[in-house]
Structures are given as structure tokens and as C-alpha cells.
Amino acid sequence: KQPVRLVFDPDTNIMLKAGSTGLGIINIPGDSVPFNLFQNVPNPAGNKTDIPYFLQSPMHVTLEIIDISGKSIAIPYNEFKPAGRFIFTLDCSGLRPGTYFYRMTAGKYEMTKKMVIMPSKD
């Protein structure tokens, strides 16, 4: 937890700190964003993980996997989908353990989430 700000009480010269803890990012689809990308499950993932998403209208969808350095390493999903809720199952067996990002582009909009790949327990 990192302090957000520091305040000094002028009467007692005591330093007070205010902080907060972020538990995640919530993207709520609205009129300006025609889709929503949800957190992968399970996270951390092993050999596979499910990536749910929702489209308000039919559109072309691309899913890109990005390593921690920002390099695009795969585009496992690239197709036109009708409106609705979908789940894409990502095969993680070819990914080395570590932190990755997945970016979904739907039309001209995009969202990015973080995922962790753990060593498989074969």
C-alpha cells in the first residue's frame, strides 16, 4: 500500500497519511464502449484459461497476447462475431511462465487485461 497523500495536523505536528488499495479494474460497457472484456479465469492460469467478453453489436474481434516487454507474441483469435456474450479458451501450453497482457480489439475500441501463467503441473 502506497500513500496517496500526506497531511500534517498543525496543532499536534502529527503526520497523517491517506491511502487506498486497488483490487482490479472494472470496465462497465456504456454507450461509448460497444464491448466489454473480462478478467481471464483462472488467473493465474496453467495450461488453459477462459477469456470472457461481451459485444453489444456484431463486429470484428481480435485478441492479441503481449509479453511483459510489450512485444506481441500471438494473435490467437481474429474473426467476426455477432452480438452477445462469448468465452474464448486460450491454450497457454506454449507460453512460458510469467506475466502477460491480452488485448482485445473490437471495431475501433480496445481493452487490455493482465494475466499470469504458472508452470504446468504435468
Side-chain angles (χ1 to χ4, degrees):
K1 296 180 186 178
Q2 297 293 324
V4 174
R5 63 188 167 113
L6 299 174
V7 179
F8 290 93
D9 182 345
D11 298 324
T12 59
N13 292 326
I14 297 174
M15 182 175 61
L16 307 171
K17 70 177 182 178
S20 64
T21 303
L23 297 177
I25 299 171
I26 300 173
N27 293 316
I28 301 172
D31 293 336
S32 63
V33 181
F35 82 105
N36 197 6
L37 177 63
F38 300 96
Q39 187 63 51
N40 64 302
V41 179
N43 191 25
N47 286 329
K48 66 178 183 171
T49 188
D50 290 334
I51 300 175
Y53 65 97
F54 173 79
L55 301 175
Q56 288 185 357
S57 59
M59 62 184 64
H60 189 264
V61 177
T62 302
L63 180 69
E64 180 179 16
I65 308 301
I66 302 163
D67 69 13
I68 194 72
S69 71
K71 179 182 172 190
S72 177
I73 58 171
I75 299 177
Y77 193 67
N78 185 8
E79 60 185 69
F80 189 85
K81 297 297 281 186
R85 184 172 173 87
F86 302 93
I87 297 175
F88 175 73
T89 300
L90 177 66
D91 178 5
C92 304
S93 61
L95 298 175
R96 294 166 57 188
T99 301
Y100 294 86
F101 298 94
Y102 56 98
R103 176 185 304 140
M104 180 166 281
T105 304
K108 63 180 182 176
Y109 300 93
E110 66 180 40
M111 288 185 188
T112 303
K113 300 282 185 180
K114 182 170 92 171
M115 70 176 168
V116 176
I117 305 298
M118 299 297 289
S120 62
K121 300 176 184 176
D122 292 339

